[in-house]
Amino acid sequence: MSRSYFAPQGGHPGQDQLLTDRAVFTEAYAVIPRGTMRDITTSVLPGWTETRLWVLARPLSGFAETFSQYIMEVQPGGGSDQPETDAQAEGVLFVVEGTAELTVGGASHALRPGSYAYLPPEAGWTLHNRGTEVLRFHWIRKAYVPAPGLSAPDVLVLHEDDVTPAEMPGTEGKWATTRFVDPADLRHDMHVTIVTFEPGAVIPFLETHVMEHGLYVLEGKAVYRLNTDWVEVEAGDFMWLRAFCPQACYAGGPGRFRYLLYKDVNRHMPLRPFA
């Protein structure tokens, strides 16, 4: 099956471009359009060479509470021998362009567009671009929340091609989710999946639930209901939804609508800040 994974290219808009855009920031949700991912909105990180990044989400009062999400851009020859400096942080990598060499647990893995890697806390991983093209990938980070009687999850390296999408009941395959992690594995406190809508498919009710969401549109376009608003989104856009923000979707086509989805799962609701 043919797939595409949108990746930002940077650059800078001309002086003749209108300032009006689709960027929205509210108490319930945010939309960061792909056009905002320019050279002047990038960041850099210590310990990484030949690398810049766009920060899509970060723990912040009134914004994302449970996770951070970056789009990393690594030039040929760049990378890091110590990418993660927080001993409590778990991570998910998802490659959208180029190739990477991931080393973790003494094993080396070649990543390509559509590759997924789950990295538990203290995994001790490294990542480098040994290729000749620019590498771009999502890096989703979360402070792992232990649960009594459960160990931390294992390292997991997969490709989207390895996973059969699970169809939403009653949709005849028009709405499906690619789950890289077994939903019954309660060691995991976050899921990062790919949700696919065929043209004409819908979320037919206003979902309102406890999970915080980060959605990055990989392919296509749709109209998304966010709280009280209908918002047009397209490949390269990012959406943040706080817990209990009403949401729905209509994928009008002409092609498939697909997004990378983060959500926090499988833990008690914290009654006080974690130490």
Side-chain angles (χ1 to χ4, degrees), residues 26-30 60-65 67 207-215 226-227 239-247 264:
T26 75
E27 293 182 353
Y29 72 89
L60 186 71
S61 175
F63 191 41
E65 295 180 351
F67 74 109
E207 294 186 22
T208 306
H209 50 62
V210 69
M211 286 90 79
E212 181 177 33
H213 281 356
L215 294 80
L226 300 169
N227 199 16
M239 292 173 276
W240 164 76
L241 286 67
R242 75 175 308 155
F244 300 107
C245 176
Q247 59 173 296
D264 53 320

Side-chain angles (χ1 to χ4, degrees), residues 37 39 50 53 83-84 126-127 175 201 227 236 262 271:
M37 296 177 207
D39 292 350
E50 298 297 322
L53 62 147
E84 182 54 76
T126 68
L127 187 137
W175 174 9
N227 199 16
Y262 160 88
L271 303 181

Side-chain angles (χ1 to χ4, degrees), residues 31-54:
V31 178
I32 302 176
R34 69 187 193 183
T36 66
M37 296 177 207
R38 303 289 189 168
D39 292 350
I40 61 172
T41 58
T42 57
S43 300
V44 293
L45 291 175
W48 286 81
T49 60
E50 298 297 322
T51 300
R52 65 179 186 174
L53 62 147
W54 287 275

Side-chain angles (χ1 to χ4, degrees), residues 44-49 51 53 68 70 72 74 78-93 100-105 111 117 119-130 135 137-141:
V44 293
L45 291 175
W48 286 81
T49 60
T51 300
L53 62 147
S68 68
Y70 311 150
M72 305 290 291
V74 185
S80 179
D81 289 324
Q82 191 179 5
E84 182 54 76
T85 57
D86 187 336
Q88 294 182 306
E90 59 186 334
V92 164
L93 312 181
E101 179 186 85
L102 170 68
T103 302
V104 58
L111 307 184
L119 303 163
E122 301 185 272
W125 54 283
T126 68
L127 187 137
H128 294 88
N129 181 359
R130 308 293 190 193
L135 164 68
F137 66 95
H138 288 260
W139 182 7
I140 298 171
R141 303 169 64 241

